[in-house]
Amino acid sequence: MALSPGGAPLTMAGGVREFAAATPGTVAVIEGERGLTYRALDDRANRLAQALLGRGLRPGDRVAVRLGNRLEFPEIIAAAAKAGLVLVPIGTRLTDAESAYILEHSGARAHISDVEPPVPADVVLQIGGTGAASYEKALEDAAPTDPMVPVDENDPCCVYYTSGTTGKPKGVLSSHRARTLMCYLSAMEWGLGARRVSLAIAPMYHGAGMVFDYAPIVAGGTVVMLPKWDPEHMLALAGKHRAQSAFLVPTHAQALRASDAVRRYDASSLDTLYFNAAALPAALKEWVMEAFPHAGVHELYGSTEAGVVTNCRPHDADRTGSVGQPWYMTEIRVVDEAGNPVGPGERGELFSRSPFLMNGYLDDEAATAACTTDDGFLTSGDIVVRDEDGFVYIVDRKKDMIISGGVNIAPREVEDVVREYPGVADCAVVGLPDERWGERVAAFVVPLPGASIEADALEAHCRERLSGPKVPRGIELVDALPRNAAGKILKRELRDR
């Protein structure tokens, strides 16, 4: 087993064990009127770990969890680590078909959720369920002792499914070491640790959301769950619990600006706001700093595959549009198409190397090899420019990925669904600028000769097969798609329209 210098492996259960012993009465997690101290969190995680192992799961098996931000999510993370199991988070907004693909591709043997699984699983625990599948009954019947299953810190703790450029989501294998280090460093950077209260706004089933929402627990703090995004509810929770830190995406800031709730609630306790998904537009960042004058504003950049890559700190607020400099323990490399380093002010593809990188894509060696280098760097697929001081500015994407409201959307996945509609000869999907969502999905559709396509009917067809953020917000019928000499669709021309 690979050991850290202190002798104990880094795992996602470590913080729960440590603070259950050191500060057992401290409240670890709050959701509505429910709360768990570290002692109770540790006890329930022990029981869940024992319940899963008692139902025939073995270390290394995968456990799907499909939940919003609720009290049970942190104990499920800790329980999986205690039992040596690998979590497979599934988004609550995915369709049954999308969820079924992840369950089948991951080989998950267990399913924990507040809804029934779309396909059978060996072990099903349903929160709010009854009978043999009852989550609470399983905990009640299980032993409260920690199973202490040996875990190698370099083994995966989670498989996150993220959209790629080839359509179907890929499973990102993330290790205990990578995630735990990010939790500790996030706690240090954004004030998430002991004697601090943080809001869990981003969904925990998302790679970034899990790190930033779980980091307070790793570091002995308190996390308050926001079950569903609502600007007024967020501000009310911040005031009630005197929360100090919150992770947001620009879409949240847009919603807060559009609401008058900021004027009606006391959010003066918030001293740290940190944003991801895209750089804040200048006017929006200025509004955030005016609306939350007591808060330092950070803008970070990263990915599920690479973890956190850069951070722009409050004292660099004048670097509008920048996502900052390399984060802790991170090296970056910016290269041209031939792989040669480029200088300040020159465009190039961004690569990073750090302890936070993924172990690879599940069962996809070719995709893993395509985005990594022999010396351990991983490509973001983003085109950036660095200034003379090393600050990074994202200027384009090598990949066609669309990011809408912080959700990664693969154009090909949407295109495949559009092409299934009767009368469609060809199509191309691109992201167009959107003030609220960052980008919105737009589809350019070429009808078959003589075919009549109604945009509303095509949108309804997509909505039945795709989760909300992936559904085209605009459908334009065109005679032909612009292509280059090699036949590749010129999506930049479509975006420029």
Side-chain angles (χ1 to χ4, degrees):
M1 180 184 297
L3 298 179
S4 66
L10 293 170
T11 80
M12 292 289 270
V16 173
R17 288 176 174 138
E18 291 156 14
F19 290 99
T23 57
T26 296
V27 176
V29 55
I30 297 170
E31 183 218 336
E33 299 305 313
R34 302 194 297 163
L36 288 176
T37 63
Y38 275 94
R39 179 189 289 112
L41 174 60
D42 189 54
D43 177 84
R44 287 174 62 85
N46 290 342
R47 291 175 181 274
L48 178 56
Q50 294 283 10
L52 293 171
L53 294 171
R55 283 161 171 74
L57 298 185
R58 293 293 175 263
D61 283 345
R62 296 171 193 135
V63 177
V65 54
R66 187 183 186 189
L67 286 176
N69 285 2
R70 54 182 301 158
L71 190 83
E72 291 82 3
F73 216 133
E75 70 194 24
I76 293 170
I77 297 171
K82 286 171 178 275
L85 302 170
V86 181
L87 281 186
V88 182
I90 298 178
T92 58
R93 299 182 65 186
L94 298 185
T95 65
D96 282 351
E98 291 168 320
S99 298
Y101 171 80
I102 292 173
L103 286 166
E104 291 167 355
H105 185 270
S106 69
R109 292 192 56 208
H111 185 270
I112 302 175
S113 180
D114 48 12
V115 298
E116 295 182 0
V119 294
D122 293 345
V123 178
V124 175
L125 293 180
Q126 187 171 344
I127 295 170
T130 58
S134 169
Y135 180 89
E136 287 299 329
K137 187 67 167 60
L139 268 63
E140 180 183 331
D141 294 343
T145 53
D146 192 327
M148 297 298 293
V149 173
V151 174
D152 189 315
E153 65 182 27
N154 294 304
D155 284 344
C157 69
C158 292
V159 184
Y160 299 98
Y161 276 80
T162 181
S163 293
T165 57
T166 55
K168 290 295 186 183
K170 296 193 288 291
V172 177
L173 294 161
S174 190
S175 72
H176 280 276
R177 176 179 170 80
R179 292 281 136 175
T180 306
L181 280 174
M182 270 196 289
C183 284
Y184 281 126
L185 294 172
S186 295
M188 182 172 70
E189 180 77 80
W190 297 301
L192 312 179
R195 297 175 296 280
R196 298 275 297 182
V197 178
S198 304
L199 296 180
I201 297 170
M204 291 194 76
Y205 58 71
H206 189 274
M210 184 181 290
V211 168
F212 302 138
D213 296 348
Y214 191 71
I217 291 169
V218 171
T222 300
V223 63
V224 179
M225 296 287 182
L226 182 68
K228 182 180 179 182
W229 167 245
D230 177 80
E232 186 155 346
H233 193 189
M234 173 212 152
L235 293 166
L237 287 178
K240 177 180 179 180
H241 298 286
R242 304 306 294 165
Q244 293 137 316
S245 297
F247 168 65
L248 302 161
V249 297
T251 302
H252 294 143
Q254 296 284 11
L256 286 164
R257 185 171 64 173
S259 168
D260 65 350
V262 174
R263 296 193 298 271
R264 293 186 287 105
Y265 289 90
D266 177 9
S268 60
S269 62
L270 287 169
D271 59 32
T272 305
L273 299 176
Y274 53 117
F275 290 84
N276 189 22
L280 288 166
L284 183 59
K285 186 171 183 176
E286 183 177 346
W287 178 86
V288 169
M289 291 190 293
E290 290 176 355
F292 300 94
H294 304 287
V297 177
H298 297 249
E299 294 181 80
L300 63 118
Y301 163 81
S303 68
T304 306
E305 291 90 339
V308 181
V309 178
T310 66
N311 183 37
C312 192
R313 297 178 171 95
H315 56 260
D316 295 310
D318 58 335
R319 306 269 183 172
T320 302
S322 175
V323 292
Q325 296 172 311
W327 204 47
Y328 303 113
M329 308 169 75
T330 299
E331 301 172 75
I332 65 172
R333 177 186 291 169
V334 183
V335 301
D336 60 21
E337 292 185 1
N340 301 311
V342 300
E346 297 182 76
R347 294 163 59 102
E349 185 175 354
L350 177 65
F351 288 74
S352 68
R353 181 168 65 181
S354 74
F356 321 129
L357 302 189
M358 67 173 180
N359 288 7
Y361 292 116
L362 178 64
D363 297 332
D364 199 337
E365 293 183 6
T368 303
C371 67
T372 53
T373 65
D374 292 340
D375 57 349
F377 280 79
L378 184 145
T379 177
S380 66
D382 287 323
I383 305 300
V384 308
V385 169
R386 278 189 296 182
D387 65 19
E388 294 285 350
D389 298 318
F391 284 81
V392 175
Y393 297 77
I394 311 296
V395 296
D396 204 350
R397 279 196 293 276
K398 184 176 181 180
K399 301 182 288 186
D400 287 329
M401 186 72 71
I402 299 167
I403 303 177
S404 182
V407 176
N408 287 356
I409 300 167
R412 180 171 171 178
E413 185 179 8
V414 183
E415 289 163 355
D416 288 344
V417 170
V418 172
R419 289 191 182 103
E420 294 173 358
Y421 189 78
V424 172
D426 202 1
C427 75
V429 167
V430 301
L432 298 181
D434 186 277
E435 183 175 353
R436 180 179 182 188
W437 300 107
E439 288 185 304
R440 65 180 184 275
V441 177
F444 294 84
V445 180
V446 180
L448 289 168
S452 176
I453 297 176
E454 296 292 332
D456 290 346
L458 178 52
E459 180 182 338
H461 163 86
C462 294
R463 196 169 294 281
E464 290 176 358
R465 294 159 176 81
L466 297 167
S467 51
K470 301 175 186 177
V471 176
R473 294 297 190 269
I475 296 174
E476 182 174 341
L477 302 180
V478 295
D479 294 331
L481 299 173
R483 297 177 182 270
N484 63 16
K488 182 179 179 180
I489 297 172
L490 301 174
K491 291 193 173 183
R492 181 181 294 275
E493 288 191 14
L494 294 174
R495 285 190 288 266
D496 288 345
R497 290 187 184 184

